Every structure is written in C-alpha cells, then in structure tokens.
Amino acid sequence: MPDFSLTAEQESLRDAARKFARTEMAPKAAECDKSARFPEEIYRKAWELGLMNLNVPTEYGGSGLGALEQCLIVEELAYACGGMTTSIIANCLALEPILLGGTAEQKSRWLNPFCAEYHLASFCLTEPGGGSDAAGLQTRARKDGDGYVLSGEKCFITNGPHASLFTVFATLDPSLRSKGIAAFIVPGDAPGIVRGKDEDKMGHRASSTSTIRFEGVRIPGAQRLGGEQDGFSIAMRTLDQTRTPIGALATGIAQAALDHSARYSLERKSFGKVIAEHQAIQIKLANMAQAVHAARLLTWHAAWSIDHGHPGTLESSIAKCFASDAALRVADEAIQIFGGYGYMRDYPVEKLMRDAKLTQIYEGSNEIQRIVTARELLRQYG
Amino acid sequence: MEIVVLIKPIPEAESRLRATPDGRGLEPEGVKFVLAGYDESAVEQALLLKESLPGSRVHAVSFGPARCEETLRAAIALGADRATWVEGPPEGSDDPVLAARALAAALQTVPHDLVLGGKQAGDDEEGIVPGAVAELLGIPSFGYVTDLRSSGPSGLTFLRPTEAGVERWEAPLPCVVGLQQAWNDPRSAKLPNILKSRKAPILKVDWPTTSKALALEAKPRSIGEKFELPAPRTGAKMIEFKTPEEAAEKLVRLLREEAKVFP
C-alpha cells in the first residue's frame, strides 16, 4: 500500500506556507481582487521567506524543493488567494527553462544574482495568434553575428509589467515549427522590450498580466538555452514540471470553497433548521469533498511520480485537468449553497469561481491536457 | 550574551479541544502543538537581542513530552543556535513547579546570562514557571516586561506597563524575564531554515536524569482535578430600532427582564 503520510519536514513546510497564506495573504485577498492591486509588499515577503523560487536549487539561492513539497505549499497559498499565488509561483515557471536547458555557467550567471534579491521573472511562450499551438509561434529570432535579434509579441504574460527577467521562446524558421524554436534568457532592461498595459482580468486580479513586445531585442548567443532546435522541448518539459503545482493551486481554491460552504451550511437556516441538515446540501457537500480529495490525491501522485524520476507527463496532465475542473465545479456549488449571497461580491465564494476558471485555461488548457492524456494513454496500447 | 529561552508547545489556536476520558486534562490526541503566543514573542526578543549583541547565542529549552521537539525545531528554524529538550515524566504532568524544578536543574549545566520566557504560557496562562525558575536558580525575576534591551554586557533595561503607569527598570545579569511583548511581531521562519532545522541536533535531558537530580521533588505536587471546555455561546440577539432612544429602551428592558443583569 502507498504511504500517504507526510514527513515532519513536509508538514513544517506546509505549516509555514499556511501561516503566511492566512496571516499575510488572506486579509488582503478581497481588497486586491476588488481593486486589481498587485500587492508587491506580499510578494516581497514571500520572497524573503523562500516561498517564491521553490524549484531553484539552494546552490543558486532558491528553496530547492521537490514537486510534492511545492504542491503542499502552493495549495496552502492558493487557499488564501489564487491570484497572489499565480504571481508568487510565476518565477518557478519562468526559471524552469534555465534549470532544464541552461549550462552550469548560465545557471550560475543568471540564477544566483536573480535569487539573491527580490526579482520577478516571466515565462514568454503564448502569443496573440495562439497559445495551445505553441509550435506555431511567430516571434522571430534572427541571427545577428554571434547573437540573435528577437521580434514579435507575447501575451498573457504573468508578472509581465514587473519582471526583471524573461525566458522567451522564438523561432528561427517558422516553417520548421517545433524544430525551429529556440529558448532565450532576456533581461528585463534589454533595449526594445515594450510592456503592454496591465490586463483587466476576470479573476487572479492580484496578479499582473500584460503583453510583452520584442522590438528588435538583441541577445548574445550566450543567452540561448540549449541548441537552436531545443526551445520547444525545453518549453514542453518545463510545463511537465510546473503543471502539477497548478493542480495544487486549483485544489487550494476548491478546498477554500468547500470550507466556506460547510461552515456556512452550519450557520444558515432555512425551513426552521440549519441548511446542513437538508439532504440537498449534504449531497452537494459530499460531492464537493469527493472532488477535493480526488484532486489532491491526483496532484500528490503526479508530484510523487516526478520526484521519483518519471517524466510525469500523463500524471501531471490528469492532475492539472481534473483538479482545475474540480475547482470550478466546487466553487460553482459553493455559490449555489450560499444562494443569492454567494453571488454578491461581499461574500468570498464568487471570487473562488472566477479564480478557478483560469486554472482550466493557463499552463496548457484542459483541452490540451486531455489530448496529452489520450496520446500518452494510447501510446501504451499502440 | 548567553540567552536561554524557555518555550512550551501549546495547542494551535484553531485546534478543536476536548477533555481526556478521565476528564482531568486536555486530550492531546489530534491536537497540533506549536510555538505561539508569549513564548513566540520571547523567541523573537531573544533573537533581537542576539542580533544587537554580536557573539550572543540563543539556546531554546523546553520541558515536557516528546512534542517539545517540534517546538524546539520551530525555534531553531527562526534562528535559535541550540535546543534542549528536558523530558517530562512518562505519565505526564501539568505541574508548573515540577516544570520549573526540571528546567532549573537542566540550566545548571547550560550557560545563561538571561533566561527569557513568555510571561505566561499561551494555553493555561498560569505564569508560574519564570518566577519559580528564578527562585530555584537564585537570581532575580521580572514579569510583564516589554521593550527589553541590553545595556552593555552585564545589564538590561526594560519597561513594565502597570495600571498606574509605565515603569522603567534596569536589571543586572543574570536574571529571568517573563516577557509581555517583543519589539517586533514575531518573525516567520524561512523555508531553507525550516529545512535545516529538521536536521539540527536536539540535546536531550532524559527523565531519569532529571528525576534523579530532583529526588523527592520529582513528583508533581499539583494534579488537574477537572478539565471542562466553556459552554458553547448562544447566539447574539439583534435589537431592531428606529431611534437610538428606542434601542436604549429595548436594551435596558432586555438586560433587566431577560439577562437579569440588574433589577
């Protein structure tokens, strides 16, 4: 039988994240959501405590945690605010290409100074012309002496307005599709970077999102990650690593929705008794609890697979897809349990539904996750 | 400065508490015990003093059952240099004087210029241990202390807020201080330090050693008789009113007729 108990170390990491989430993030979640404020003071504090560069090895100044530990932390943070969590963990996504594709020299050159101070990084893959069709990206990298010149536009870039480092995927030859894509490290102050306006989003409003336009941005050859054809593979392997924490993020939102609902159902009265005594509500709560449990266990299993050296592509796709679908469903039911109050912004559950929605879309839409799942599945039969 | 900070694991604020089957004490099963409350402030204050006086060391000491170890690791993760678990009797004990005797016995071999603790534990709030430890060590004791600062290698200054005003004190070292509040809100542990704290050694003074040192004093003198949780609070009553006068009139009537606060 598998052992689902956490080690004392894992519990203490989770407790630290829980404390931060409940004392620092939760009190400001509603305000930041309402005003779409980017709470930099919270992000700085998260960085100070080591909650930001979770996947970066300690030798480069990160926290050097495994996938399961990352998931435990991310779930706790997302319980308090999905949007803040997105901004806090964006560095993990943006720096993973350097961890996967960088040479020892590149890692030391870029990660050490980056992690030694509070800095944000952004992962630049998605473009206005396509997100899921990553192999069809149009941002061009043209050879220029010993370097490259980047031209094109990326969109929906988390932390884009604030990032001091970008990992950028650009094509040397669009006709080669995935084989033409290379990955680059681009410092935020490189001439030719134009940051778009902060997007007005449905949810994750404490996070900041913008387009990033590259207008002839010159990059030395030493800032290319891997070979000229390796970019697509680096991007996909990055997502294999970072998809699982999105499952954890969705699980955190779902758990919050369940907790709010269960508490409310023990307070709110209708037909002369608390609504928790009505079977209609009990069945909803049971379904929600099933979804939360399943989401968490799938996420833990995917993380366990990655921590045990498996690629985790299938497991992480299943986990991310299931957990994010579960989060939206559970948040939807939470609003239903709250009734009219649930629809009001003064109550916490409608935010959860808006925040949950994004987890079905970003870091690989759930349609893509299902395609990945089917492909991995059929491979076992073909 | 050699700073010893006395800490006690207490139930996490969100814990759901219940009595043991014999009804004499708190059932520890299923309760998470943490470093919190005044003791957490004491650790913060110890670290602030250490940072203000280069060469200082903080030694966290906890008396009780095995759960002390987690609390000591929490102190190490925050910045304590060393930690000692003074094991309690196997049958358990809530006797604060026994705790003080065991701690004082253990401190015989631990260098201490300042012994710092919360003014009282955050759970039972008895506030006996710091004073009793001082008495047993034969050094001065000060309680309800705030704004604790070093005044050189051999002294401290601090404030004691009282009902009559704020007292300013100077105290010699060594002494025991029961802290009301640190200068800062307690810091949070950084993730890398939490990971390091898991591997840090915890010194242990086992119960047989303590028991032998205390001889006849190793027996608890006080034993809990009955442990009861407060009765659940009944719901609030909302008074509907159009004018403040009407609200006051209704409130007075309720206080007199229902709550019977006055005749």
Side-chain angles (χ1 to χ4, degrees), chain A residues 10 65-70 300-310:
Chain A
Q10 288 164 338
L65 299 181
L68 183 55
E69 288 77 15
Q70 290 181 46
W300 283 17
H301 179 245
W304 178 91
S305 302
I306 290 167
D307 286 337
H308 283 74
H310 306 295

Side-chain angles (χ1 to χ4, degrees), chain A residues 329-351:
Chain A
R329 208 163 61 237
V330 171
D332 181 18
E333 284 290 51
I335 295 174
Q336 196 67 21
I337 288 172
F338 274 71
Y341 294 110
Y343 202 67
M344 301 297 133
R345 294 226 163 164
D346 292 337
Y347 285 76
V349 287
E350 60 82 34
K351 170 183 185 289

Side-chain angles (χ1 to χ4, degrees), chain B:
Chain B
M1 190 190 298
E2 296 285 352
I3 306 163
V4 165
V5 57
L6 304 177
I7 56 178
K8 175 187 177 186
I10 63 170
E12 196 172 36
E14 292 172 6
S15 305
R16 298 177 74 90
L17 305 178
R18 60 199 162 95
T20 47
D22 68 5
R24 286 176 175 269
L26 170 72
E27 173 60 60
E29 186 64 35
V31 176
K32 193 172 180 68
F33 287 85
V34 294
L35 173 64
Y38 301 110
D39 286 358
E40 194 183 14
S41 261
V43 171
E44 175 64 28
Q45 183 64 70
L47 298 171
L48 291 168
L49 285 173
K50 175 186 155 180
E51 286 156 6
S52 70
L53 277 173
S56 299
R57 288 192 300 180
V58 173
H59 189 153
V61 180
S62 187
F63 166 79
R67 58 175 174 256
C68 291
E69 188 187 322
E70 277 304 308
T71 312
L72 290 167
R73 291 204 187 281
I76 294 172
L78 290 167
D81 302 282
R82 284 185 299 165
T84 297
W85 169 33
V86 183
E87 188 182 28
E91 66 276 16
S93 161
D94 290 327
D95 180 2
V97 176
L98 177 62
R101 288 190 196 285
L103 289 165
L107 292 184
Q108 299 296 338
T109 55
V110 171
H112 53 271
D113 298 311
L114 169 63
V115 178
L116 193 56
K119 64 167 184 169
Q120 60 199 42
D123 53 357
D124 55 31
E125 303 195 326
E126 287 179 320
I128 293 170
V129 170
V133 167
E135 176 65 21
L136 292 161
L137 293 175
I139 57 178
S141 169
F142 306 94
Y144 295 86
V145 165
T146 64
D147 202 36
L148 180 66
R149 290 170 199 274
S150 159
S151 60
S154 58
L156 296 167
T157 64
F158 55 84
L159 304 179
R160 286 184 75 247
T162 71
E163 282 179 16
V166 177
E167 301 171 352
R168 186 177 180 281
W169 285 71
E170 288 181 26
L173 293 173
C175 68
V176 176
V177 165
L179 195 75
Q180 167 92 19
Q181 205 179 357
W183 309 332
N184 283 345
D185 287 340
R187 66 193 68 189
S188 295
K190 298 178 181 183
L191 259 47
N193 295 343
I194 291 174
L195 295 175
K196 278 185 214 149
S197 77
R198 302 306 322 175
K199 297 181 182 79
I202 305 263
L203 307 170
K204 180 181 171 185
V205 180
D206 61 17
W207 175 248
T209 304
T210 301
S211 176
K212 201 174 157 196
L214 300 186
L216 290 174
E217 306 290 358
K219 209 173 152 50
R221 297 295 178 90
S222 65
I223 292 168
E225 189 61 35
K226 193 164 189 195
F227 179 85
E228 278 180 321
L229 294 170
R233 280 192 289 185
T234 51
K237 183 166 228 159
M238 299 302 290
I239 298 174
E240 288 185 15
F241 60 93
K242 290 201 174 66
T243 61
E245 289 77 9
E246 186 192 348
E249 192 189 317
K250 284 184 171 175
L251 178 61
V252 168
R253 185 162 48 76
L254 286 170
L255 290 172
R256 181 171 285 147
E257 292 170 13
E258 285 194 22
K260 301 194 192 308
V261 175
F262 46 83

Side-chain angles (χ1 to χ4, degrees), chain A residues 71 74-79 81-82 85-86 89 204 243-258 291-292 295-296 299 319-331 352 355-362 366:
Chain A
C71 285
V74 170
E75 183 186 328
E76 291 301 331
L77 301 182
Y79 184 91
C81 182
T85 308
T86 288
I89 65 171
H204 292 243
R243 206 180 280 132
T244 311
I246 300 301
L249 193 153
T251 306
I253 294 173
Q255 182 70 57
L258 173 60
V292 173
R296 181 175 297 118
T299 303
K320 187 271 183 186
C321 186
F322 184 93
S324 53
D325 284 350
L328 186 67
R329 208 163 61 237
V330 171
L352 298 174
D355 286 350
K357 184 63 210 175
L358 183 60
T359 64
Q360 293 183 311
I361 299 171
Y362 71 176
N366 280 9

